Each structure stands twice: as structure tokens, then as C-alpha cells.
Amino acid sequence: MSSFLIHHGVVVALVCAGCSLIYGIVSTRALLALSPGNERMQQISLAVQQGARAYLNRQYTTIAGVGVVVFVGLIFVQNIAVAGGFGLGGLLSGAAGYIGMNVSVRANARVAESARSGISKALGVAFRGGAITGLLVAGLALLGLSGYYGFLTAICSETPKSAVDALVGLGFGGSLISVFARLGGGIFTKAADVGADLVGKVEAGIPEDDPRNPAVIADNVGDNVGDCAGMAADLFETYVVTAVATMLLGVLTFHQSTQVVLYPLILGGVAIIASIIGTFAVRTSVGNVERALYQGLAVSGVLSAAAFYPVTRWLMHGLTYLTSEATSAAPSVFHLYLCSLIGIAVTAGLFVLTDYYTSTRFSPVRKTARASQTGHATNIIQGFASGLQATALPAIVIVLGILGAWKLAGSGSLGIYGIVVAVMGMLSMAGLIVALDAFGPITDNAGGIAEMADLPEEVRNVTDPLDAVGNTTKAVTKGYAIGSAVLAALALFAAFRLELHAAQPAGHAETLYGINEPPVLIGLLLGGLMVCLFASLAIEAVGRAGGAVVEEVRTQFREHPGIMEGTEQPDYARSVDIVTKTAQREMILPSLLPIVMTIIVGVISVQALGGMLIGIIVVGFFMAVMMTAGGGAWDNAKKLIEDGAFGGKGSEAHAAGVTGDTVGDPFKDTAGPAINPMIKVANIVAILIIPLIK
């Protein structure tokens, strides 16, 4: 056993986190040194920057008000260390999204300008912009976890167990930011997109990103606050809560508390180094853009897999158990290492399957596009069916991953520990996953700037293929985010049961959540209810906000006919302001739903609470996959038609495709992704309110 890692593991994790921050700083300086293009391009980029900054400032101000109330409540329900962790988690999650968004909105014009030199140069700039966000997410998450743990144990003399309890608060801080960011950003981006498409493309017959459309700047702003800042907050939270769940299960299972706490931190640290190396493996000379991007992901995965074994050997050899499960067959170092590899394999499986269901190359999207030839209704029917079908294979991949990790690690809580190690293996890819997601809005905005600035056709011939790949990467990263969220929630639920049993020794740990208990059945139904209600509130919010944008665009076209003639400039700021105000108002109720309902059910019945958490995980997974995959199929079916299939632009099939895409927008970019943090918020709140319900 390496004494250095045991006594200085926190330092190792902090150094690795620092490397990601250095990478971000150096890459940002190199990115900003590139030319942002001509004056018109800079004006458009600046308008997007100002809109995105104004939105996030208002969003974080709203969240801060809620956060202060929660912070004070945690002091009384838990203690100041947990409340402090909550504040730190919220600040770091907000910083990751804010910094990433600022880099993204500055990269867009530079990608458009780089496109003059060909696809290789533009790809390199776009990916580098996304990689800055991705490495910042992983780095800030690891920095917060290891730094706060080191502070509590070294400065405040807390025990490893009490320090990990405080880290649960840090996870809750990230969760609160995540659910607000996903919802608010999703409402903003899809309301603007729906309004711009319905009036611009369908009614006025003008192209996407046409500068005459008053909602076009709001649409570009939405890409950044929804896909960039939203995904950053989502995976920051998943990274943190998974690591915390791994630590918590470790200290509740093994005697060697320091070693098992350090294990996920150092796994995360070596994975960051592998991700940094992986960014340089994205060879811009490769002709196939998707291949170039996934090449970097593959290199990162292979390096992480190679590094996980020595880390597991150093820290997890010779552990002894705290529970009666000591008589069970102990998982060997090699078995735990295989659990981490299962996480990487599950990531690869989810990527391949999500790509199959959402890419224009494969049958599901082509069937949806073909159905558009017979009308709007058949497009909707086929897209919805594709979304439902897309739940089956990902569910089987996750089931096989759970089964494999559980069998390798042992039974009971030992098996659950193997599952959380597998989830940490999945999260080792978080840095590059966020990079691939942020690549989407950067290339989308670059194409919009090229259109609005009237750049030569050869520039659009570069930005359009990049944008198409960006749509695919956004879809597959959502599949990854859902899978990791479900497995992280499973780990949190296991930690909840163990913590509750520790606080209530006579808590009937084996029968408390038996399916034959009526309170458990009630809780299961309430969990499913919460997911459906949450999704409906999010979709309704997009409909209302999108309707307001539609009316605004129609009003400007009607009152200022010179806009369509090119003699008047549309008022972009009014559209941005309308969507900003509506998104802030609409995100409050659904964001608070998982917090308030979890507390109410927990106070009434702990058995019902357990059932509700299970119901949220199961129903949430299927709803999230159905919405994101179905929405992706509708979106890419429209793009396939626009590329000339089944009648091309202006055909009846195209009009039906636009309708399907409009329906799918709030599915794939608002309600579906927002279910991820909602699942984890409910489970982490359940852990925090144990003092109230024990």
C-alpha cells in the first residue's frame, strides 16, 4: 500500500484538478487570440454574449434567493459544515456553467472565421472551445470535493465520516443549481427556437438564422444557456453526487475510511489527466468529423482504464468490513477494477445506441422523415413511437451493467459498492462528454453568424457539416447524462438506506421497502406522479413562452414591414427580454417540486419516501430517454428533409418535419434533460432530511 497516496491523496487530487484549470486558462488565452471576424460578425457575437450574460445573471440572482433559504434551513436540520458544503457546491456549479458559457459565446465567431480556412481549422477551434468547458466542469468538481474534504479533516479535525456527510451538502448545492439551470435554460432555448421556427420558417418562409427574424438572436442565446451552461451544471452535479455516494457507501461498509474516501477522488484525478491527453488526440486532419471527435474520447477512455488498476491496487487492497457481510466473499482488487471498466463499457454502449436512434444515418430517423410525406400527424406518431422504442436497448445496457458490477463486487451493500465504482468509471469521461456537448452550440452559433453576416457560401459549406455533427453529439451526450443520472440515483438511494439504518438501528432494514407494504406502493405511485407532473410543467412552460415569442415576431413583422424588405432592423432585444422573463418565472415551481414533495412525503412516512425514490428513478429513466431520443429523431428527420430527402425544403414533408421538430424541442432540450437532476435532487434531499424522519 502506498503510504504517499494514503497520507497525501487529497494533494494528488488537488494537483490533478489544478491541471484542468491550467488547461482551461491556457486554452482560453489561445482561443481568444484568434480573429473574431469582421465587424458584422463581432456585432452579432456581442449581441449573443450580452443576451446570454444577462440571462445567467438574472437566473443566478433568482437561484441565490432560494439558496439562502435552503442554506439557513440546512444549518438547523444538519449543521454549519453541511450548509457550507451546500454553498460551495452551488458556487462551483454556477461558476462552471458561467465560465463555460462565456467561452462558448466567444468561440462562435472565431469558428465562423476559421471556417474560411477549411473544416480542419474550424473543427479544432470549436472542439477547443468545448473542451475548456468540459475540463472546467470536471476540474471544479474535483477541486470542490477534495479541497472541502481536506479542509474539514486537516483544519477542522473532522472524522472522514463527518466530512463525507458535509460533502452531501456540496452535492445538494450542485443539484439545486443543476435543476434550475436545466429547466430555465431549457425553457429559454426552446421557447426562442419554437417562436423563431413557427413564424420565420413556416409562416414567413425565410431560412433558419435569417437576420430578418426578430427571434434569431434569442435562439442563439438559448443554445448557450441551455446546452452549454445547462449540461455543464448537470454533469457537474452528477460527478459530485456520484463521488459523494461512493465515499459515503465506502465509509459505511469498510473499516479503512480514509482509503475508501480517497479512492473516487484519485480515480477522478487520473481521469482528468487522461481527458487532457485525449483532447490532443482529436486530430483535425481526419476527414470524418465524428471520427475525429470520438477518437479523443476513445483515447481518454483507454488511458483512464489503464490508470484505474494501479489506483485500485494501492487503495483497495486488503480492506475489511464493518458489517455482518464480512463473511461474504470479498471483492478482489481485480473485481473492483473490472467494475470501473463496466462503467466505461456502459458509456460506450449508451453512445452507440443514442446515435442509432437519433442520427440521420439510421432507420429510426429515416422512418420519421418518410412518415412526414403523409402529413403532420403521421410524423408525430412515428417520432413518438421511435422515442418509446429507444428506451428498450439503453435499459438493457444499464441492467447488464448493474448486474455485472453487482455480481463482481458481492452481495448486499458490497454489490452496491461495485455499482457505484462502475458509475465512477462512467463519470471518468465527464470532461470530454461535456466538451462534445458544448461543441454543439458553438458550431450552431457559428453557422448562425455565417448566415446573418452574409459570409461566402464556402463558409456555410464548412459550418453546416460541423453543425450537423454538433446535433448528433448533443443527442448522444444526453443519453450518457441520463444513464449516469439513473446509476448515480441508485447509489444515492443505497446510501439513504444505510444512513437511515445507522440512525435508526431498529429500522427494519430488510423489510422497510418490501413491495407488499401499502406505504411503499403509495410512494411508488407518487414517484411516477412527480416525474410526469414535472415534465408536464416544463413542457407547458415552453408552450407559453414560445407563444409569447410567436406573438412578438408576428407583431414586429406586421408593424414594421421594412424588416422583411431589409430596410428596417428587427428589435432582437425585445425577444430576448420576453424569453428571459418568462423562463425565470416558469422555472420556479417545477424546480422546487422535488424538494418540497420529498420533504412532505418523508415527514409523513419513511416507507412511502423510499417507494417514491424508487418510483422516481424507474419512471424518470424511461420518460427522460423517450423524450430525448424522440425529440432527437424529430429534429434530425427535419434536417434530413432539408438536405433534400422526401421532397426537400418547402415541401409538405418539410412542413410536417418542422411541426415534429417543434413538438420534439421541449421534449429533448427541456423536460427530458431536466429529469436527470430532478431524480438526484429527490434522492439527495432524502439523505439530508434523515434527522427529521428517523
Side-chain angles (χ1 to χ4, degrees), residues 493 518-535 593-594 597-598 601-602 607-623 675 678-679 682-683:
F493 179 71
V520 176
L521 293 175
I522 291 171
L524 287 169
L525 292 173
L526 289 175
L529 176 155
M530 188 194 296
V531 174
C532 294
L533 181 60
F534 180 88
L593 179 66
M597 195 164 176
T598 301
V601 174
Q607 287 180 289
L609 175 59
M612 189 184 79
L613 297 178
I614 298 169
I616 291 171
I617 293 171
V618 174
V619 178
F621 167 75
F622 286 100
M623 284 284 284
I675 289 173
M678 188 272 286
I679 294 172
N683 279 270

Side-chain angles (χ1 to χ4, degrees), residues 59-250:
Q59 176 173 270
Y60 288 151
T61 301
T62 303
I63 298 172
V66 177
V68 169
V69 175
V70 176
F71 178 88
V72 174
L74 284 174
I75 295 175
F76 292 99
V77 175
Q78 289 283 342
N79 52 57
I80 188 64
V82 174
F86 168 79
L88 179 61
L91 287 173
L92 290 176
S93 178
Y98 197 88
I99 296 170
M101 180 277 297
N102 273 287
V103 172
S104 175
V105 295
R106 285 167 171 78
N108 49 27
R110 289 165 171 83
V111 173
E113 180 66 15
S114 299
R116 297 179 188 271
S117 302
I119 197 165
S120 295
K121 180 71 177 296
L123 169 63
V125 176
F127 175 74
R128 195 66 61 191
I132 293 168
T133 303
L135 270 298
L136 277 176
V137 167
L140 288 175
L142 186 61
L143 181 70
L145 286 167
S146 53
Y148 198 51
Y149 175 79
F151 171 77
L152 291 173
T153 52
I155 307 300
C156 302
S157 301
E158 298 275 1
T159 65
K161 173 61 171 63
S162 61
V164 172
D165 287 338
L167 290 179
V168 175
L170 194 151
F172 183 41
S175 297
L176 188 70
I177 291 288
S178 178
V179 72
F180 274 102
R182 267 303 195 190
L183 264 175
I187 292 168
F188 187 108
T189 183
K190 291 303 106 180
D193 195 4
V194 166
D197 280 357
L198 285 181
V199 184
K201 296 171 74 172
V202 176
E203 295 182 9
I206 58 179
E208 189 170 1
D209 296 319
D210 192 298
R212 293 172 292 178
N213 193 327
V216 72
I217 293 295
D219 189 11
N220 282 305
V221 169
D223 291 331
N224 293 284
V225 300
D227 283 317
C228 186
M231 177 62 87
D234 188 353
L235 286 182
F236 176 95
E237 175 228 11
T238 302
Y239 191 107
V240 169
V241 299
T242 301
V244 171
T246 308
M247 295 174 180
L248 190 54
L249 286 171

Side-chain angles (χ1 to χ4, degrees), residues 404-473:
W406 176 54
K407 289 294 186 181
L408 282 170
S411 60
S413 61
L414 301 180
I416 295 295
Y417 189 77
I419 294 170
V420 299
V421 171
V423 189
M424 281 305 301
M426 285 188 72
L427 268 297
S428 69
M429 315 291 287
L432 282 184
I433 299 295
V434 176
L436 294 179
D437 187 75
F439 177 87
I442 290 173
T443 54
D444 192 354
N445 279 194
I449 289 173
E451 175 74 26
M452 288 183 279
D454 293 322
L455 296 187
E457 185 178 350
E458 56 265 26
V459 173
R460 287 307 304 258
N461 290 339
V462 170
T463 59
D464 284 352
L466 291 178
D467 184 20
V469 172
N471 279 319
T472 301
T473 60

Side-chain angles (χ1 to χ4, degrees), residues 94-411:
Y98 197 88
I99 296 170
M101 180 277 297
N102 273 287
V103 172
S104 175
V105 295
R106 285 167 171 78
N108 49 27
R110 289 165 171 83
V111 173
E113 180 66 15
S114 299
R116 297 179 188 271
S117 302
I119 197 165
S120 295
K121 180 71 177 296
L123 169 63
V125 176
F127 175 74
R128 195 66 61 191
I132 293 168
T133 303
L135 270 298
L136 277 176
V137 167
L140 288 175
L142 186 61
L143 181 70
L145 286 167
S146 53
Y148 198 51
Y149 175 79
F151 171 77
L152 291 173
T153 52
I155 307 300
C156 302
S157 301
E158 298 275 1
T159 65
K161 173 61 171 63
S162 61
V164 172
D165 287 338
L167 290 179
V168 175
L170 194 151
F172 183 41
S175 297
L176 188 70
I177 291 288
S178 178
V179 72
F180 274 102
R182 267 303 195 190
L183 264 175
I187 292 168
F188 187 108
T189 183
K190 291 303 106 180
D193 195 4
V194 166
D197 280 357
L198 285 181
V199 184
K201 296 171 74 172
V202 176
E203 295 182 9
I206 58 179
E208 189 170 1
D209 296 319
D210 192 298
R212 293 172 292 178
N213 193 327
V216 72
I217 293 295
D219 189 11
N220 282 305
V221 169
D223 291 331
N224 293 284
V225 300
D227 283 317
C228 186
M231 177 62 87
D234 188 353
L235 286 182
F236 176 95
E237 175 228 11
T238 302
Y239 191 107
V240 169
V241 299
T242 301
V244 171
T246 308
M247 295 174 180
L248 190 54
L249 286 171
V251 298
L252 292 172
T253 305
F254 301 105
H255 282 293
Q256 293 80 2
S257 56
T258 300
Q259 293 167 225
V260 295
V261 166
L262 293 178
Y263 182 51
L265 297 180
I266 298 180
L267 282 183
V270 297
I272 283 177
I273 302 302
S275 294
I276 292 174
I277 296 172
T279 63
F280 296 101
V282 177
R283 309 299 299 178
T284 56
S285 59
V286 176
N288 187 309
V289 175
E290 283 188 66
R291 179 185 169 190
L293 293 173
Y294 294 153
Q295 185 171 282
L297 190 66
V299 168
S300 174
V302 169
L303 292 177
S304 294
F308 284 171
Y309 183 77
V311 172
T312 305
R313 178 73 184 176
W314 285 327
L315 290 172
M316 305 301 282
H317 178 69
L319 298 182
T320 55
Y321 306 112
L322 284 170
T323 68
S324 59
E325 291 169 333
T327 57
S328 304
S332 67
V333 166
F334 186 65
H335 283 171
L336 285 177
Y337 170 64
L338 290 179
C339 289
S340 69
L341 296 189
I342 284 176
I344 296 176
V346 168
T347 298
L350 292 176
F351 255 67
V352 170
L353 291 175
T354 308
D355 185 51
Y356 171 74
Y357 283 108
T358 58
S359 173
T360 56
R361 303 192 310 273
F362 302 110
S363 172
V365 169
R366 291 188 170 274
K367 285 196 294 185
T368 303
R370 187 177 297 110
S372 303
Q373 296 178 103
T374 51
H376 301 253
T378 48
N379 170 281
I380 299 298
I381 291 169
Q382 182 57 52
F384 189 70
S386 294
L388 291 172
Q389 292 168 11
T391 63
L393 293 178
I396 291 173
V397 167
I398 290 177
V399 166
L400 291 176
I402 291 173
L403 181 64
W406 176 54
K407 289 294 186 181
L408 282 170
S411 60

Side-chain angles (χ1 to χ4, degrees), residues 533-548:
L533 181 60
F534 180 88
S536 72
L537 291 172
I539 292 171
E540 276 191 340
V542 172
R544 285 191 291 268

